[in-house]
Amino acid sequence: MKELLLLTDAFLTFWESVLPLNAFYLRKLRIGAGNVSKSWIKDNFDSFEFTSKLELQNSQSSYPPYGDFHYLNLAQYNRFHQTSGSSGKPLLFLDSKEGWEWLLNNWLKIFALAGIEKSDRLFFPFSFGPFLGFWTAFEAACKVGCLSFPGGGMSSESRLALIQNQKINVVFTTPSYALRLGEVARSQGINLKDLQLKKLVLAGEPGANIPATRLRIEKEWGPIVVDHHGMTETGPVTVECSTTPGLLHIIENAFIAEVIDPNTQKKLSLGSIGELVLSSIGRVGCPLLRYRTGDIVHLNLQKCACGFNGQSLKGGILSRADEMIFLKGNNIYPSVLQNMLHTIGELLDFRITFYKTNGNPHLLFEIETLQTDSESIKNMLEKMIQTMFLFKPVIKIVPKGTLPRQEMKSKRFIQI
């Protein structure tokens, strides 16, 4: 198979060294430590069962608190992080010094592809919690010599003042908070395009490559958006190409990527749209093998105009496999609804709730609008949804400022 050519010697050498120590994978792959070899990994890779988040959660329940996929002696770990827990019990992750360096070096590759240099001034406008998030980006920036500014415990107004006063030219945040800072900047009479920013690096949620959302962000910030994605389970994974907007390059020599049908788990060929599966080539202490990310992507293997020659995601993260809902004969993804809503310029913010009454599913749209345009926007949205999905939505106009604004990921889509 063409995909097997992606099993590099670095990948085989790495897993040959860590598999014999890893009780979780020895049990899962049903092999003894003494039988692991590069040739065995290469010959059997396509038959390895996928690793799921539930399996990792079960491992931590059976071998508390960290699970036996953490295979080093506890004294060898010096970092703790956890997932948000938005899809079940939070997963706990420990990193060894060697594994952490691997994560930082992956960020250095992202900086290089994004055009971020030692002379740049970088701002991280959020509080650093136990999520992996931009922790690695901040430390990698310090490692490379960039002047780096943490922004925890500050108001949006104070953060904007810091960007101005300290001549910051690279900002790392989520699409939602980029929109929020744009909203605050407008209220203060600040034109973000006048601040001579070089890059706006966005991650944490879909948005930077949802066309209408990206247009909204660029209307405030200018054409400086760089999309990026990663997970606590894997660390940083991709960065948007500066030559080909909308194309996310998988960090070179850091992962083997595959796509599968999320329902049948059948492996799909390169060039297909499906669920992204990742295998680490590093992160000593907690690497993952054929891990189901839950992200729906369009995976390609191609040479880019920028010179990158490897695996890339066309259009970034298209959606989440677990967020699709079935309503009135339609398979609906939140990213599609978000793109639709963000095409309405007079719509300020929104929240969508999926709920059932007497077993019947419904969608409630709560929208903030410019006051004078509320009814016309409501009618416009109702017509758009009826045209695309052939059902009448429930739309509620709420006062401006009613819906919550978040520093990090926004809860714009809720299932109850």
Side-chain angles (χ1 to χ4, degrees):
M1 292 180 66
K2 181 180 178 182
E3 288 82 354
L4 285 179
L5 297 176
L6 300 176
L7 298 184
T8 62
D9 187 65
F11 172 83
L12 298 171
T13 299
F14 173 75
W15 279 99
E16 183 186 39
S17 68
V18 302
L19 263 182
L21 307 174
N22 194 313
F24 173 83
Y25 277 115
L26 290 176
R27 183 175 66 254
K28 181 176 174 63
L29 302 179
R30 296 178 290 279
I31 188 172
N35 296 321
V36 173
S37 67
K38 288 197 287 187
S39 60
W40 178 83
I41 296 169
K42 184 175 182 179
D43 292 343
N44 292 278
F45 179 81
D46 256 7
S47 65
F48 292 165
E49 294 179 3
F50 299 110
T51 304
S52 69
K53 186 173 184 177
L54 179 60
E55 284 180 291
L56 301 183
Q57 290 170 328
N58 290 340
S59 173
Q60 294 194 335
S61 296
S62 299
Y63 303 93
Y66 305 117
D68 60 348
F69 60 90
H70 289 95
Y71 56 87
L72 298 177
N73 185 288
L74 191 59
Q76 293 176 262
Y77 294 100
N78 62 356
R79 298 278 181 170
F80 168 85
H81 294 284
Q82 69 178 39
T83 61
S84 64
S86 57
S87 57
K89 185 179 179 181
L91 271 173
L92 311 181
F93 272 84
L94 303 177
D95 276 296
S96 66
K97 182 178 180 180
E98 186 178 352
W100 190 254
E101 282 299 309
W102 179 78
L103 294 172
L104 299 191
N105 287 333
N106 286 340
W107 262 108
L108 298 186
K109 296 174 185 177
I110 290 176
F111 291 164
L113 284 169
I116 296 172
E117 302 168 298
K118 181 178 178 180
S119 59
D120 290 324
R121 295 185 169 204
L122 280 51
F123 184 42
F124 300 82
F126 49 83
S127 299
F128 283 71
F131 58 91
L132 187 64
F134 285 125
W135 267 103
T136 43
F138 185 88
E139 291 205 12
C142 295
K143 180 178 179 178
V144 83
C146 297
L147 184 54
S148 304
F149 298 81
M154 302 175 71
S155 66
S156 295
E157 292 79 4
S158 297
R159 288 167 176 161
L160 287 170
L162 188 69
I163 292 172
Q164 290 178 295
N165 297 336
Q166 298 300 322
K167 296 181 171 53
I168 287 162
N169 66 342
V170 180
V171 176
F172 291 73
T173 189
T174 62
S176 291
Y177 195 57
L179 289 169
R180 173 57 179 163
L181 282 177
E183 185 179 35
V184 175
R186 284 197 311 274
S187 70
Q188 292 193 310
I190 298 171
N191 187 340
L192 293 174
K193 294 179 183 178
D194 292 339
L195 301 185
Q196 298 184 323
L197 293 165
K198 176 181 176 180
K199 299 289 181 182
L200 179 66
V201 183
L202 302 180
E205 62 184 5
N209 266 309
I210 295 177
T213 303
R214 188 183 184 108
L215 283 174
R216 282 202 170 206
I217 294 169
E218 291 185 336
K219 183 179 179 181
E220 302 288 350
W221 295 84
I224 60 172
V225 170
V226 177
D227 196 11
H228 150 70
H229 105 279
M231 308 174 70
T232 297
E233 297 97 308
T234 61
V237 178
T238 65
V239 64
E240 184 173 19
C241 175
S242 56
T243 304
T244 311
L247 187 67
L248 271 65
H249 296 322
I250 295 176
I251 301 170
E252 198 169 14
N253 303 322
F255 299 97
I256 296 295
E258 307 169 82
V259 283
I260 62 172
D261 182 304
N263 297 314
T264 66
Q265 298 188 35
K266 180 181 178 181
K267 186 173 177 179
L268 305 175
S269 61
L270 288 170
S272 301
I273 294 176
E275 182 181 353
L276 179 65
V277 172
L278 292 173
S279 296
S280 313
I281 312 177
R283 203 174 188 186
V284 173
C286 58
L288 295 177
L289 189 62
R290 303 195 92 189
Y291 183 66
R292 295 186 62 177
T293 65
D295 294 321
I296 302 300
V297 301
H298 186 181
L299 179 66
N300 288 276
L301 177 63
Q302 64 188 62
K303 185 171 183 179
C304 181
C306 73
F308 182 90
N309 188 14
Q311 295 174 310
S312 300
L313 308 182
K314 187 176 181 180
I317 305 302
L318 304 179
S319 61
R320 289 282 303 169
D322 57 0
E323 288 184 341
M324 188 198 78
I325 62 170
F326 185 75
L327 180 64
K328 311 292 185 183
N330 299 282
N331 293 325
I332 303 175
Y333 286 101
S335 56
V336 174
L337 297 175
Q338 179 169 320
N339 187 62
M340 178 190 297
L341 287 155
H342 274 163
T343 62
I344 305 173
E346 298 81 3
L347 189 146
L348 302 177
D349 212 337
F350 67 90
R351 180 169 59 194
I352 304 169
T353 303
F354 176 66
Y355 65 99
K356 293 183 179 181
T357 55
N358 299 321
N360 297 314
H362 304 279
L363 277 184
L364 167 65
F365 291 78
E366 297 172 274
I367 59 173
E368 291 183 22
T369 70
L370 297 175
Q371 189 173 1
T372 55
D373 299 318
S374 296
E375 285 302 322
S376 62
I377 293 171
K378 179 180 178 181
N379 293 335
M380 183 189 306
L381 177 59
E382 185 175 278
K383 185 176 181 180
M384 291 171 71
I385 293 171
Q386 285 183 307
T387 300
M388 181 172 286
F389 299 113
L390 304 178
F391 70 85
K392 185 175 182 179
V394 180
I395 302 174
K396 180 181 179 182
I397 300 169
V398 299
K400 181 179 177 181
T402 299
L403 299 177
R405 269 57 165 183
Q406 305 290 338
E407 285 187 11
M408 294 300 290
K409 302 178 184 180
S410 285
K411 286 284 187 182
R412 287 200 176 93
F413 185 81
I414 301 169
Q415 296 191 52
I416 57 175

